[in-house]
């Protein structure tokens, strides 16, 4: 294994407790819904605001604010009309014409999708929405050619969370750049002067304020202890020299990108491991555990094993029992967390590196018993011995036979 990758993965693991505490400080509807973690989600919000007929009640105000920022950032004196644009999303800028422009990272020849297009009678604005000012494989010239077709002029705009000009190449250095912070701050300033709108549209005002807090106010309350934990994690993993890099803004941005990349890697590997645990635990239940339980407690025996739940309940093995006896579940990982919130049982501090056994409540309404075991997830992956009765005893305890 590459030592550098291993060390950085160790850093991400060390940072998770500190980062999770900081991010949990404030309620935000975008955080609760995990919204804005994908560019399409944010594009939906921006397209809604751009629509002059949208339910936000702003009319064309957001169009005017956006176009003003685009015009202010242009290198030439061309001025685009302030309003009068129709809004479209996910627009193919190449259509059926093969793209003749070679752009690194292009995924599919003859197809290039722009996130948002504002189309007016005389001008068109083609918007690529991405967290950084990066064309990330899209063809700038395709966007521009499409924008200019049938109108007097067009402009390509990078709508982004961070302005990072060193990422702009292959024509994207000519794109106008508007950041979320600039755009949402200008909108909020506009709304602060419109008391009538705030009174008439309290729900929309709350939504936009939440949007501003999530995507503009990047400095969140972080305690001194959390800051020290963060520094200690960097020191312990050999990453503290980043504090000496210059310029610091770029060093911070690059560090954030690397953390995101390795966190994604660890998340994907975690998902794969959860799947392996589920398959191994189901095999053990079918070939060993059912026989152990039924031999010890033959009344209302286990008659089947299933593992067909999805979503948050996916990491669960169902032990079906005959007649009207309640089902028993072997749960781990995210499912164990969700069930602990429903029924703590006798568990004071859950150890989520182990398997839990729960019992179905009467009439199938959730669970009414939660039993901790000492069977670790590592035990499941390496193989539980045929004479190991720890899970059997936990199942019997959940059933009520012990």
């Amino acid at each position: 294994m590459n030592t550098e990758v291993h060390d950085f993965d160790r850093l991400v693991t060390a940072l998770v407790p500190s980062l999770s505490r900081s991010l949990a400080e404030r309620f935000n509807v975008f955080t609760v819904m995990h919204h804005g973690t994908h560019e399409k989600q944010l594009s939906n919000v921006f397209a809604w605001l751009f629509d002059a007929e949208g339910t936000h009640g702003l009319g064309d105000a957001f169009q005017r604010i956006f176009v003003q920022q685009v015009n202010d950032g242009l290198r030439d004196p061309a001025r685009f009309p302030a309003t009068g644009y129709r809004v479209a999303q996910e627009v193919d800028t190449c259509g059926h014409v093969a793209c003749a422009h070679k752009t690194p990272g292009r995924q599919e020849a003859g197809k290039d999708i722009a996130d948002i297009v504002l189309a007016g009678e005389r001008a068109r604005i083609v918007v690529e929405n991405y967290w950084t000012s990066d064309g990330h494989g899209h063809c700038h010239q395709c966007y521009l050619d499409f924008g200019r077709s049938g109108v007097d002029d067009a402009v390509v705009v990078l709508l982004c969370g961070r302005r990072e000009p060193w990422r702009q190449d292959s024509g994207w250095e000519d794109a106008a750049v508007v950041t979320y912070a600039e755009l949402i701050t200008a909108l909020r300033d506009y709304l602060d002067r419109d008391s009538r709108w705030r009174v008439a549209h309290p729900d929309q005002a709350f939504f936009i304020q939440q949007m501003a807090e999530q995507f503009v106010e990047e400095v969140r309350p972080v305690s001194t202890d959390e800051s020290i934990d963060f520094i200690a994690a960097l020191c312990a993993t050999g990453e503290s020299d980043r504090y000496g890099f210059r310029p610091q803004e770029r060093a911070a941005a690059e560090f954030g990108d690397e953390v995101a990349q390795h966190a994604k890697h660890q998340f994907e590997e975690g998902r794969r491991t959860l799947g392996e645990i589920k398959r191994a635990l189901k095999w053990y239940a079918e070939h060993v555990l059912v026989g152990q339980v039924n031999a010890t407690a033959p009344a209302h025996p286990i008659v089947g094993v299933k593992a067909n739940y999805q979503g948050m309940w996916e990491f669960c093995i169902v032990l079906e029992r005959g007649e009207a006896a309640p089902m028993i579940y072997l749960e781990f990982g995210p499912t164990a967390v969700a069930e602990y919130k429903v029924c703590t049982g006798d568990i004071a501090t859950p150890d989520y590196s182990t398997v839990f056994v729960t019992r179905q409540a009467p009439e199938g309404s959730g669970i009414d018993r939660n039993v901790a075991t000492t069977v670790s997830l590592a035990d499941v992956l390496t193989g539980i011995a045929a004479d190991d009765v720890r899970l059997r005893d936990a199942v019997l305890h959940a059933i009520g036979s012990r």
Side-chain angles (χ1 to χ4, degrees):
M1 177 182 288
N2 184 296
T3 303
E4 181 181 352
V5 171
H6 174 74
D7 288 346
F8 215 93
D9 284 344
R10 188 160 53 88
L11 169 64
V12 171
T13 301
L15 289 178
V16 165
S18 172
L19 294 176
S20 64
R21 287 195 301 272
S22 299
L23 293 174
E25 290 284 340
R26 297 163 67 181
F27 164 79
N28 187 282
V29 65
F30 286 87
T31 302
V32 172
M33 297 174 64
H34 300 283
H35 201 284
T37 56
H38 189 278
E39 63 186 72
K40 180 64 166 64
Q41 296 174 329
L42 268 181
S43 292
N44 290 339
V45 176
F46 284 122
W48 171 68
L49 289 168
F50 282 134
D51 183 2
E53 304 298 323
T55 55
H56 45 68
L58 293 168
D60 61 8
F62 193 69
Q63 282 191 16
R64 287 187 274 113
I65 291 168
F66 176 69
V67 176
Q68 177 66 50
Q69 297 204 353
V70 171
N71 284 332
D72 289 346
L74 293 176
R75 299 176 182 176
D76 55 50
R79 307 291 289 184
F80 285 81
T83 189
Y85 298 93
R86 301 182 307 280
V87 183
Q89 290 182 258
E90 299 292 302
V91 178
D92 185 359
T93 61
C94 287
H96 300 293
V97 180
C99 174
H101 309 288
K102 300 298 182 183
T103 304
R106 283 292 302 280
Q107 299 277 323
E108 187 176 350
K111 195 176 186 68
D112 210 5
I113 306 299
D115 293 314
I116 303 173
V117 173
L118 303 182
E121 291 185 5
R122 298 190 298 107
R124 191 175 286 123
I125 301 175
V126 184
V127 180
E128 179 58 29
N129 173 37
Y130 194 57
W131 180 242
T132 61
S133 57
D134 181 354
H136 62 107
H138 291 285
C139 175
H140 176 271
Q141 191 61 48
C142 286
Y143 279 25
L144 189 59
D145 291 346
F146 168 81
R148 287 173 173 169
S149 61
V151 296
D152 295 342
D153 205 358
V155 64
V156 178
V157 179
L158 280 166
L159 179 58
C160 56
R162 291 198 302 264
R163 192 187 298 268
E164 297 181 344
W166 61 88
R167 294 183 182 275
Q168 294 171 234
D169 54 22
S170 302
W172 288 100
E173 59 272 19
D174 297 325
V177 178
V178 177
T179 67
Y180 302 157
E182 294 164 346
L183 187 55
I184 299 171
T185 298
L187 173 62
R188 191 165 57 175
D189 290 345
Y190 171 85
L191 297 178
D192 286 344
R193 299 189 298 270
D194 191 346
S195 58
R196 287 186 178 180
W197 180 88
R198 295 198 307 273
V199 171
H201 302 86
D203 293 339
Q204 293 91 327
F206 172 77
F207 180 84
I208 291 172
Q209 177 60 31
Q210 291 276 287
M211 187 179 181
E213 291 178 0
Q214 181 73 1
F215 300 107
V216 177
E217 298 171 3
E218 294 184 355
V219 179
R220 296 176 178 270
V222 177
S223 71
T224 301
D225 288 343
E226 290 166 354
S227 184
I228 291 173
D229 287 346
F230 185 91
I231 294 168
L234 263 64
C235 291
T237 53
E239 296 291 334
S240 57
D241 57 347
R242 291 176 182 270
Y243 280 116
F245 292 174
R246 293 292 185 273
Q248 270 288 286
E249 182 178 354
R250 178 169 180 175
E254 291 179 348
F255 175 70
D257 289 342
E258 289 186 57
V259 169
Q261 177 185 352
H262 285 267
K264 180 176 181 291
H265 166 75
Q266 285 190 254
F267 183 87
E268 291 170 345
E269 285 298 303
R271 187 69 174 79
R272 181 184 61 79
T273 301
L274 285 169
E276 292 178 355
I277 293 168
K278 183 175 180 177
R279 288 188 290 274
L281 191 57
K282 183 174 184 288
W283 185 95
Y284 177 79
E286 291 173 332
H287 294 85
V288 179
L289 183 60
V290 169
Q292 288 180 337
V293 173
N294 289 349
T296 308
H300 304 297
I302 298 170
V303 297
V305 177
K306 289 186 177 180
N308 56 354
Y309 288 156
Q310 298 296 319
M312 289 303 297
W313 315 110
E314 179 177 354
F315 308 106
C316 167
I317 307 301
V318 183
L319 306 181
E320 296 181 312
R321 301 170 67 210
E323 301 175 5
M327 291 189 291
I328 301 297
Y329 308 100
L330 310 179
E331 299 175 337
F332 59 95
T335 301
V337 175
E339 293 287 39
Y340 183 74
K341 293 176 182 178
V342 175
C343 176
T344 61
D346 297 326
I347 307 168
T349 305
D351 177 1
Y352 291 116
S353 67
T354 62
V355 178
F356 295 80
V357 178
T358 63
R359 183 180 69 182
Q360 181 184 33
E363 301 178 359
S365 55
I367 63 170
D368 65 357
R369 183 168 292 183
N370 195 345
V371 180
T373 79
T374 60
V375 178
S376 71
L377 302 184
D379 291 339
V380 176
L381 286 175
T382 56
I384 306 172
D387 58 353
D388 189 326
V389 295
R390 288 177 295 167
L391 272 185
R392 182 205 68 181
D393 290 347
V395 169
L396 294 175
H397 181 58
I399 291 172
S401 298
R402 288 197 175 180

